[in-house]
Amino acid sequence: MADGAIQTNNSSGAAPPGSVRDLLRLWPWLRPYRGYLIFMLVTATLAMVVQSILPLVTAALIDGPIARRDTSGMYPLIGLALLFGVLEAVLFGLRRRAMTTSALAIETDMRRDFYQHLQRLPVSFHDRWPSGQLLSRVTSDLSTLRRFAGFMAVFFFANLAVIVVVLIMLVRLDAVLGISVCVVMAPLAIATRYYERQYNIEARRAQDLTGDLATGVEESVLGIRVIKSFGRRGQLLENFTSDAQRLREAELKKNRTLANLWTVIGSYPQLVLAGVTFFGVLAVAHGRLSTGELVAFITLQLRLNWPLMALGWLIAGTEETVAASARLFEVFDTKSDIIEPESAARLPVNTGPARLQFDRVSFRFPGAETDTLHELNLDIAAGETMALVGPTGSGKTILTALVARLHDVTGGAIRIDGVAVDRLALDDLRRTVSTAFEDPTLFSASVRENITLGLPDASDEEVREAIEIAQAGFVYELPYGLQTRVGEQGLSLSGGQRQRLALARAVLGRPRVLVLDDPLSALDVHTEALVEGALRRILSSTTALVVAHRASTVLLADRVALLDEGRIVAVGTHSQLLATNDAYRNLLSQKAETRV
Amino acid sequence: MTATDTPDGAINESQWRGRYDKREEDAVTEQPPAGRPRLEREARQLLGQLIRPHRRQIILVLALIVGQVSTTMLAPWLIALAIDRGMPQAINGHYRTLTEITGALLVAAATSGVLQWLFLRRSGTIGQAILIDLRRRVFDHSQKLSVSWHERFTSGRVISRLTSDVDTLRELLDASLDGLLLAVLNIVIISVLMVFLDPWLALMALAALIPLFALFRWFSGRSTVAFRRTRETVALVIVQFVETFNGIRAVQSFRREKRNDAIFEGLNQDYRDANSTVFKLHSVFIPGVTLVGNVATVAVLFVGGTRVAEGGLQLGVLTAFLLYLRQFYGPMEDVAIFFNSLQSATAALEKLARVLAEIPSVPEPAQPRALPQPVRGEITFDAVEFSYDAQAERPRIVLHHLDLQIEQGQTVALVGATGAGKTTIAKLISRFYDPSEGTVRLDGVPLAQLTDEDLRSAIVMITQDGFLFSGSVADNIAFGNPGASRAEIEAAARAVGAEEFILKLPEGYDTDVRKRGGRLSAGQRQLVAFARAFLADPAVLILDEATSSLDIPTERAVQRALYTVLHGRTALIIAHRLSTVEIANRVLVLDDGRVVEDGTPQELIEADVKSGGGRFAALHTAWRESLA
Ligand SMILES: Nc1ncnc2c1ncn2[C@@H]1O[C@H](COP(=O)(O)OP(=O)(O)OP(=O)(O)O)[C@@H](O)[C@H]1O
Ligand SMILES: Nc1ncnc2c1ncn2[C@@H]1O[C@H](COP(=O)(O)OP(=O)(O)OP(=O)(O)O)[C@@H](O)[C@H]1O
Ligand SMILES: [Mg+2]
């Protein structure tokens, strides 16, 4: 059975468990808000103090004035109780206010940095990473982090402090019994540590599976037309269900560990309490302890219960945060391998076309075993138009992607006006080189914004010219003309319309180097002829590399390079090649078909 | 650097976003047609539906928690017993009672532990069952909805519904339900106890419920709006995120990063502001609950104290009362926190319920008509008019009154300028949309009356973009027919000439093509999409520029395959390269949504000679010239 197999399993492999070190690495984001964090810690502690004083005031009131039936003596203490009561709420509110500002800001900052970082990671990274994995990091992992920063971190310390204080008080109340309690409680720490590790691994897996689920959803939505066209809703639902079930299993594993942890943390102290009762009563019987002391001891020990339970919960939350930050740092730690040169070379000041050279250029996809492009040489003179033809899969697209450094060459160099592209500042390079890709991508923005993607302050005149060259006059007839929003959140366009917009985008501002990957494939013959006519005008004033499958497009070029299996096997004019090269003739001539 | 390049130089959205139809816009922002109560009702109903199948389990869980609470409550009583009874005997050297009581304590602790464990596991399982049910429902429903809905709603939003919104419900289910139950149990029991202790003081204590109620009301009203905004803003963040990284090539090569930074930052801040509103409400609401409790305690203390001083009340009663009060107001905070999660989940459930309430605009028929077998593959357009935005302020008619009859076994080529409406016709035959007027029929049965099953096995379309899923090449081909054997898959690949390149891939048919088929070249993707359609073996095959990225020899090979494959099938071929059209025995020329020429290729070419104005003839001449 083949169904059920179309899905992403790549992240299911065991990831290394995160460690507390990952938490410490969050510091740069926490730092700007350290004042808030300290403030939160202080208010939380104060609130706890107030909380424990309040009963004392009540007790003093009852034992004192009320027991003495002294109505007027009550007032100061009542006032105090009221004050503390209000104070507790106010401290509580203040802490939450501080949390609003800091935790949210930390989350927002990290999200911003994550997005900015991702935008600058190379295309090869994005090809490799399932998109849902990135998305789940920016949504659910970051909210986990926010909860931690705003809440858990503070309470973790506060609770730990309470536990330590209570233990100290127990020891001071009765050394033998107190120390015994401390010793007997020790295994709890070990058990907790054990479950904690396990929980970390399980949390990580659940988070990864959440990402896979998102990837699956995205694919099924983007592929909706294919799915509908083949009527495969059932199969998709099955795939989704099995993804969701895997996630459920992971969540249930987490749940089991959590149940174990909580049960241990919840009941173990109760067992200890039974022991304390037994030995305590014995101690009283033997006169080593007074009844009052025993009662005090037990009451105090009972106060450990809640902080311990809370600690169990906080530990789980912390482990989730550890796993979430490990996931985030996996991405943050990926450095772009398209490196900006340290001291960027400048292109000779010149606005005319540039010379484009491929000098023994080799390229191998990361992880591939063989080169896709082999030591190819190509010299495109300034102002020349070079067509690139070759059979499907010969490496044309990847060759075009190398010019603007969407990928880096793995051997040799590409030069613009004699300067290797990796010595130019990326911004400069990409300003000089303009590309139209084989699949036109539109963004949810106005037509104008889509055309002026690379040149936001292009003049109206330039935009008009670009539209004219790409024969994209249809945009003026859209409901709001150039202001019409297109793309996913706007109006959908036909394939040929999209392609022409992408072309207009590429030719806007007359770039010095123009790279077009099969730019006319979706156009009808008439429109194609019109576009070609218009293109010719600008091709004379720019250096161009045009990928073509059709003779008509090839005719735009001064020379043609024939690519086969990653090697340039011939370069010449169209008619030369047609006359001398069999492979070329076979590739471009339609003769065999023209029988009509 | 220019002004617009600065990352924090805020860009006014109106400068780049562009305009779009108002009504469509509303649909996208999901402004509910009905008001708030209706939305909330939908959300609650959904929650009810999700919970209903687990009623018994939930009762069991409740029993478990009641058991656990009671055993825990036993401990203080047993300790008191140990001191009162065990101690005197122990002093006399008899340890039996003490041992027994300690034993009971141990048993109580263990029982409580076991019950708690069971409770946690059970409730966890129920929660996960509810989540998976919800996920499946929403997923399946979204797949049922029409293409036009997806176009409006955008992929990012669907993703956000199925991830971030569902997560909110997970948080609610994770939020300690036991805490809530315990709290409620405590509150009820203690109210009763207090009333027995002293009705007047109890009345005072309970009077605090009035401001509490007001506080809850206030929070509920404000937070609903605020939570809703968080759901909307997070969806926009996701939409932008998804769009950016799907178009990363264009983003990078056109140096869009900085502008995107600014745009994203705006959305990110909106999300933060929405969250911040919620958090600010919290920072009043939850301390407010504490405050009410504390003030009420002091009031009881004051009144009670005065009465004790006047001799109207026993000191012991007051002490007990105060102890109870702590256990009465303390859990109120848990209730408040839970209420908050509930509000948040309700906002998310509203969104999910909205999706579920969406009626497919291209619905499956309630009473389908059977398709006569074997399927002949005859397509009829009967006075069809179509507009993508029929509801809009300015609808654009794409097809005007189209009458068309495609006979069984005919291979029809559809040609025309870009934007003429060719793809639209193909989509209507595939029933991605229903015509605004008129009907499309297959073998005389309106498409709208066919089951999805019948329709999809009869008609298959290879779309312009030829979407591939991540997964192996073989899986992608098998998408055309999930039951196909490996041999059949390979045969299909061979038939379209895809085998050659597939075998060169590192793992052959098992090579992962990566997201959207990124591991393959454009032409290779088209070949795989082609093989997929061949494998599906439908009665009607629609090819929408299915060979546009192929080199000529490969295209020729595909055509040879088409010759044999199309025999006996109805086919609609859309192509700009007329070489593809030559295998057609009928050509339709489309211009601006109207069929302007119709005939065999031969006839149409000759029409040129006869009438001197044939469009196809002109196209054909131009194309021949272009071959040079
Ligand atoms: N990420 C990748 N890893 C390994 N190989 C790849 C990867 N992406 C593409 N390839 C392979 O590299 C070769 C060249 O692909 P490219 O897209 O450059 O072809 P092309 O000449 O543009 O073909 P077409 O005319 O079909 O667009 C193909 O054989 C393809 O399978
Ligand atoms: N989903 C859509 N929503 C709104 N308008 C659309 C949609 N799809 C296409 N259109 C518009 O409908 C018209 C016809 O589009 P269609 O895709 O049918 O053209 P086509 O003839 O296939 O063109 P091409 O050769 O460029 O693919 C175009 O003007 C296009 O802008
Ligand atoms: Mg290509």
Side-chain angles (χ1 to χ4, degrees), chain B residues 38-113:
Chain B
R38 154 109 185 273
L39 277 181
E40 265 175 26
R41 186 149 32 85
E42 278 177 1
R44 298 261 144 85
Q45 271 169 1
L46 178 59
L47 193 60
Q49 283 170 16
L50 291 170
I51 286 176
R52 201 163 306 133
H54 307 285
R55 266 169 312 182
R56 297 225 174 131
Q57 291 283 323
I58 289 174
I59 292 173
L60 177 69
V61 162
L62 285 178
L64 282 172
I65 197 65
V66 170
Q68 198 247 336
V69 172
S70 348
T71 41
T72 320
M73 281 181 172
L74 230 51
W77 179 70
L78 284 171
I79 292 173
L81 221 57
I83 293 175
D84 293 350
R85 299 263 179 82
M87 193 137 51
Q89 292 190 14
I91 292 171
N92 298 329
H94 300 298
Y95 301 119
R96 214 181 123 176
T97 317
L98 179 60
T99 321
E100 275 172 8
I101 293 174
T102 310
L105 259 175
L106 289 174
V107 171
T111 316
S112 147

Side-chain angles (χ1 to χ4, degrees), chain A residues 5-6 8 58 61-62 66 69 75 85 88-89 92-93 96-97 100 104-105 108 111-112 115-116 118-121 123 126-127 129 135 140 146-147 213 218-220 222 225-226 228-229 231-233 241 245 251-252 255-256 260 263 270 278 282 284 309 391-393 427 430-431 435 437-438 444-446 449 453-454 457 479-480 483-485 488-491 500 522-524 549 551-552 565 587-590 593 596, chain B residues 2 4 16-20 25 87 95 102 109 113 116-117 120-121 124 128 132 135-136 139-140 143-145 151 154-155 159 167 171 239-241 243-246 249 251-257 259-261 264-265 268 271-272 275-276 279 282-283 287 290 294 301-302 305 308 322 394 417-418 432 456 461 467 469-470 475 479-480 482 504 515-516 521-522 524 532 549 551-552 556 559 576 579 582 605 626-627:
Chain A
I6 297 179
T8 51
T58 325
L61 198 63
I62 292 178
I66 295 183
R69 327 234 145 180
Y75 294 118
E88 188 194 352
F92 205 16
R96 283 195 163 264
R97 264 298 156 112
T100 306
L104 274 178
T108 310
R111 184 176 290 115
R112 176 197 66 210
Y115 178 84
Q116 297 192 352
L118 270 185
Q119 276 206 97
R120 284 151 184 91
L121 283 178
V123 167
H126 290 281
D127 283 348
W129 273 70
L135 186 69
S140 65
R146 179 226 300 158
R147 271 194 296 277
L213 196 72
E218 183 178 353
E219 277 207 326
S220 63
L222 292 178
R225 289 176 188 79
V226 175
K228 280 206 185 292
S229 158
R232 290 281 169 269
R233 208 179 86 212
T241 308
Q245 270 164 352
E251 289 284 352
L252 284 178
N255 172 271
R256 192 177 57 202
N260 291 344
T263 307
Q270 296 294 112
F278 184 78
L282 280 191
V284 174
M309 271 315 273
T392 287
D427 206 55
R430 290 177 177 165
R431 200 191 303 274
T435 316
F437 299 96
E438 52 193 355
S444 305
S446 66
E449 180 76 12
L453 204 58
D457 28 39
Y480 306 97
Q483 290 312 314
T484 312
R485 188 188 317 160
E488 226 204 341
Q489 298 174 63
L491 192 73
R500 277 176 288 161
L523 302 185
D524 63 285
H549 279 305
S552 51
E565 309 229 326
L587 195 63
L588 278 199
S589 111
Q590 208 106 31
E593 241 61 33
V596 180
Chain B
T2 53
T4 38
W16 60 273
R17 188 50 110 172
R19 289 176 66 192
Y20 190 42
E25 197 93 72
M87 193 137 51
Y95 301 119
T102 310
Q116 188 190 8
W117 192 85
L120 288 171
R121 296 287 290 143
Q128 286 298 322
I132 207 167
R135 286 207 169 98
R136 278 175 43 103
F139 181 85
D140 195 38
Q143 290 280 311
K144 238 183 254 175
L145 291 171
E151 276 168 356
T154 72
S155 54
I159 297 173
D167 266 357
E171 273 159 32
V239 168
Q240 170 72 14
F241 190 89
E243 192 172 70
T244 305
F245 297 112
N246 275 334
R249 281 183 172 72
V251 167
Q252 292 192 346
S253 72
F254 287 96
R255 298 167 296 122
R256 172 96 181 157
E257 294 96 336
R259 205 158 159 99
N260 266 344
D261 286 348
F264 188 77
E265 191 49 15
N268 200 12
Y271 179 43
R272 178 175 105 156
N275 266 323
S276 166
F279 279 34
H282 280 190
S283 64
T290 313
N294 285 349
L301 192 59
F302 179 66
V308 171
L322 287 173
R394 314 182 192 179
T418 80
F432 284 2
R456 300 304 171 196
M461 155 157 152
F467 189 90
F469 298 88
S470 50
D475 289 338
F479 195 78
K504 278 194 205 149
K515 107 173 121 186
R516 330 249 187 290
S521 84
Q524 292 167 341
R532 176 195 276 170
S549 298
D551 61 63
I552 292 169
R556 225 178 271 149
Q559 268 162 33
H576 292 308
S579 56
E582 281 165 4
I605 289 170
S626 80
L627 294 179

Side-chain angles (χ1 to χ4, degrees), chain A residues 51 54 58 81-82 84-89 92, chain B residues 187 194 201 204-213 215-216 284-302 321-333 336:
Chain A
Q51 233 168 15
L54 203 53
T58 325
L82 194 61
F84 278 130
V86 174
L87 196 62
E88 188 194 352
F92 205 16
Chain B
I187 292 171
M194 286 195 306
L201 278 186
M204 256 191 81
L206 292 177
L209 289 180
I210 296 168
L212 275 182
F213 181 73
L215 202 58
F216 270 74
V284 176
F285 175 52
I286 297 183
V289 173
T290 313
L291 184 67
V292 171
N294 285 349
V295 171
T297 309
V298 173
V300 169
L301 192 59
F302 179 66
F321 215 92
L322 287 173
L323 285 179
Y324 279 136
L325 268 187
R326 277 187 76 73
Q327 288 186 52
F328 181 72
Y329 293 121
M332 286 291 178
E333 273 163 43

